[in-house]
């Protein structure tokens, strides 16, 4: 299957700092990527849809000024958590949509565990 | 009614058992159906992908889709302790940038 990478896999930062997470599709191009967060023992929660070359679409309740998304190329989307606080500590997962041959499935990255002290 | 319903479990079975995981949905426009497996602290991994109704088999895994009943299943034969994970169903109507709709996930434990 297709491969999606995320970097870093784990980050610990102080409250008030900004953290950037990268999501790359390694062997296919993705015009659409998605960002999720997941709290322990809970399901995935979609944060935003990232579209190459245009503004991201945020889900209701997700602050677009706090979670900045940039999808500058067909293989890279970034999520920046600005002025992080302890309540932002979570598992952040990206996925990339493989749109080849009119199929429609998503491949997930391995996730980034963010801990804000 | 939620778009996708999935029993969260936990489901505990002995090694070697046949496991049946299920999801129901309400949106008749869904035509792509997927099952993902997620180990603790890892990203979901695509297990099975099915278009429209029918069965699909891959090794010990069989996915079934019954669009008339709006019901999908994943069967795991000869279950192994390494199958212990959370299984998420997901589906899509493939309408542009619409995200996949996920079930809540079923936690499975296979006991040796």
């Amino acid at each position: 299957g297709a491969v999606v990478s995320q970097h870093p896999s784990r980050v610990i930062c102080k409250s008030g700092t900004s953290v950037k997470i990268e999501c790359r599709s390694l062997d296919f191009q993705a015009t659409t990527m998605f960002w999720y967060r997941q709290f322990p023992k809970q399901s995935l929660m979609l944060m935003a849809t990232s579209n190459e070359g245009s503004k991201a679409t945020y889900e209701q309740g997700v602050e677009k000024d706090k979670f900045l998304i940039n999808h500058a190329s067909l293989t890279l989307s970034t999520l920046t958590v600005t002025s992080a606080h302890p309540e932002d500590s979570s598992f952040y997962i990206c996925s990339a949509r493989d749109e080849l041959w009119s199929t429609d499935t998503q491949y997930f990255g391995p996730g980034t565990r963010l801990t804000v002290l | 009614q939620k778009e996708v319903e999935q029993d969260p479990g936990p489901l505990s079975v002995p090694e070697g058992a046949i496991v049946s995981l299920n999801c129901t949905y309400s949106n008749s426009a869904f035509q792509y159906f997927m099952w993902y497996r997620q180990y603790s602290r890892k990203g979901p991994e695509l297990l099975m992908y099915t278009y429209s109704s029918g069965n699909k088999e891959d090794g010990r895994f069989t996915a079934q889709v019954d669009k008339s009943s709006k019901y999908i299943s994943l069967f795991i034969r000869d279950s192994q302790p390494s199958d212990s994970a959370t299984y998420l169903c997901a589906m899509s109507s493939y309408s542009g940038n619409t995200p996949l709709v996920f079930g809540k996930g079923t936690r499975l434990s296979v006991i040796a």
Side-chain angles (χ1 to χ4, degrees), chain B residues 5 11 15 24-25 33 35 39 46-47 52 57 61 71-73 78 84 86-87 89 93 95 97 102-103 106 110-111:
Chain B
E5 299 273 6
L11 179 63
E15 183 176 359
T24 58
Y25 63 95
F33 304 91
W35 286 94
Y39 292 112
L46 180 65
L47 269 181
S52 195
E57 187 173 321
F61 299 91
Y71 187 88
I72 69 170
S73 301
D78 188 24
S84 299
T86 296
Y87 290 80
C89 64
S93 58
S95 53
N97 292 334
F102 284 89
T106 299
V110 180
I111 310 300

Side-chain angles (χ1 to χ4, degrees), chain B residues 16-50:
Chain B
I18 297 175
V19 176
S20 173
L21 304 168
N22 312 292
C23 288
T24 58
Y25 63 95
S26 57
N27 188 346
S28 58
F30 289 147
Q31 51 184 330
Y32 296 93
F33 304 91
M34 285 136 276
W35 286 94
Y36 289 86
R37 176 175 63 194
Q38 185 178 24
Y39 292 112
S40 181
R41 299 173 181 252
K42 301 289 185 183
E45 169 195 9
L46 180 65
L47 269 181
M48 300 289 283
Y49 172 90
T50 309

Side-chain angles (χ1 to χ4, degrees), chain A:
Chain A
V3 179
V4 176
S5 70
Q6 264 183 259
H7 178 79
S9 58
R10 185 168 187 170
V11 58
I12 301 172
C13 68
K14 293 182 179 180
S15 185
T17 60
S18 293
V19 175
K20 179 185 280 189
I21 302 170
E22 292 186 350
C23 177
R24 294 181 185 273
S25 56
L26 297 184
D27 51 1
F28 66 102
Q29 293 183 331
T31 56
T32 307
M33 293 184 175
F34 301 91
W35 287 94
Y36 297 83
R37 66 189 295 182
Q38 187 176 38
F39 293 105
K41 298 187 179 181
Q42 294 192 22
S43 188
L44 301 168
M45 187 187 79
L46 180 66
M47 298 176 66
T49 301
S50 170
N51 303 296
E52 188 268 337
S54 64
K55 291 183 178 180
T57 303
Y58 290 82
E59 295 299 300
Q60 190 173 8
V62 178
E63 299 176 58
K64 62 180 180 181
D65 294 330
K66 177 159 185 70
F67 299 99
L68 301 179
I69 292 172
N70 184 17
H71 193 156
S73 78
L74 289 173
T75 59
L76 173 64
S77 176
T78 61
L79 168 69
T80 302
V81 183
T82 62
S83 187
H85 288 92
E87 58 265 29
D88 298 323
S89 299
S90 189
F91 192 49
Y92 292 86
I93 312 173
C94 71
S95 71
R97 183 178 234 145
D98 183 355
E99 301 169 28
L100 188 64
W101 306 119
S102 298
T103 62
D104 183 24
T105 192
Q106 291 180 27
Y107 295 92
F108 285 85
T112 297
R113 184 160 302 281
L114 171 63
T115 302
V116 185
L117 304 176

Side-chain angles (χ1 to χ4, degrees), chain B residues 71-86:
Chain B
Y71 187 88
I72 69 170
S73 301
L74 176 70
F75 297 95
I76 306 174
R77 292 185 298 281
D78 188 24
S79 56
Q80 304 294 311
S82 59
D83 295 327
S84 299
T86 296

